[in-house]
Amino acid sequence: MKIKDDYLHCFSSIAEIFSRATGLAAMIVDVTGKAISDCYNFNSFCTLMRANETYRATCQKCDKYCAFEALKQVKPRILCCHSGLSIFSMPLIHEGNLYGFIICGQVRVKYQEYKTIIVEDKPQWMNDPKIKEEWERVTVVDNNTLVASANLLSFIVDNFEQEEDMESVSEPQVSYVRNYSSEFSRHEKKLLAALRYIDDNLYGELSLESVAAHVCLSANYFSRFFKKRQGVNFKTWVNQKKMQKAGELLHDPVHSIDSIARKLQYAQTSYFCRVFRAAHQTSPQSFRHARLSQ
């Protein structure tokens, strides 16, 4: 069916754009979990797994499960696949027709907090030294960055649904992908660059103006865009990230609470403790004691 083929071609283009911008793997699958597009940015581990007939079938079961979890709410839900990698998907629906799903991810996360898809009791691939070695090389990403990427995918697909004109599929659709690619590259990629910059500079001065300048956007535009995409304002996001880092530092008794506060650019330890309590529902002292006594 020509219309279906045209839409799948367009969705495949979006998957490629998304993969290039985020560095995550992406592909289009049908309702059975079978890949119906090129596989963009796949890591060596997943490539080896899908080259094996037995493991490929297991991977497809994970893809199908992840896809239909997203279909329940028509938005991405991050899950942990059978091999311990984080994935998410977005259903591709237009005028009530389900064309398939974009499956994305294939990364390890710093903090494993997502539901694991169970498809076998004892993973056989762990007995294969070559595959296990490649698993160790899989990229580790920050959880918040992965969430931002999932939100970005939802934004892309939702906007395609809103702006596409069914009366003329082929040429307008190609034009739409080209134009959206430009917008995506200029703005969404800058947001991801800003998030990475924040993660890499938690020990430095992180002002709205400095981060906006780093990604070559005006402070006012960046502020509005950031809050719209992340759901919280810039200052709240930075505080959340600093409190996450503070929790990591508190695991090591070599760091005093005063030194952690100074390291994270809080002029007053008392203010740092108030922000920490708001984020973790406990004081830094109690947090450290609970972690060290585990």
Side-chain angles (χ1 to χ4, degrees), residues 97-125:
N97 297 313
L98 177 64
Y99 290 89
F101 306 86
I102 297 182
I103 303 285
C104 305
Q106 295 184 354
V107 291
R108 295 157 59 193
V109 290
K110 287 185 178 180
Y111 308 100
Q112 188 49 263
E113 57 183 348
Y114 307 115
K115 177 181 177 181
T116 300
I117 303 171
I118 305 297
V119 293
E120 57 184 345
D121 293 333
K122 187 176 181 181
Q124 299 179 37
W125 65 266

Side-chain angles (χ1 to χ4, degrees), residues 59-72:
C59 291
Q60 288 179 356
K61 289 179 182 177
C62 278
D63 292 340
K64 184 177 180 180
Y65 184 95
C66 179
F68 280 92
E69 282 296 299
L71 186 60
K72 291 178 182 178

Side-chain angles (χ1 to χ4, degrees), residues 276-291:
F276 188 93
R277 181 181 289 276
H280 293 278
Q281 287 75 55
T282 189
S283 68
Q285 295 92 332
S286 298
F287 183 94
R288 165 169 278 172
H289 178 74
R291 293 302 181 274

Side-chain angles (χ1 to χ4, degrees), residues 258-278:
D258 284 340
S259 69
I260 293 173
R262 290 193 300 272
K263 187 184 289 285
L264 292 171
Q265 300 298 311
Y266 288 93
Q268 296 182 328
T269 302
S270 58
Y271 178 65
F272 164 78
C273 291
R274 287 200 301 273
V275 177
F276 188 93
R277 181 181 289 276

Side-chain angles (χ1 to χ4, degrees), residues 117-154:
I117 303 171
I118 305 297
V119 293
E120 57 184 345
D121 293 333
K122 187 176 181 181
Q124 299 179 37
W125 65 266
M126 296 188 72
N127 298 321
D128 187 318
K130 183 177 180 181
I131 294 180
K132 193 171 181 181
E133 180 181 356
E134 291 303 328
W135 187 91
E136 296 289 345
R137 300 176 190 230
V138 174
T139 300
V140 178
V141 302
D142 182 82
N143 295 54
N144 287 331
T145 301
L146 191 64
V147 170
S149 298
N151 290 338
L152 173 58
L153 179 64
S154 178

Side-chain angles (χ1 to χ4, degrees), residues 210-224:
S210 66
V211 178
H214 176 74
V215 295
C216 302
L217 291 174
S218 72
N220 286 338
Y221 178 83
F222 177 72
S223 177
R224 295 193 304 271

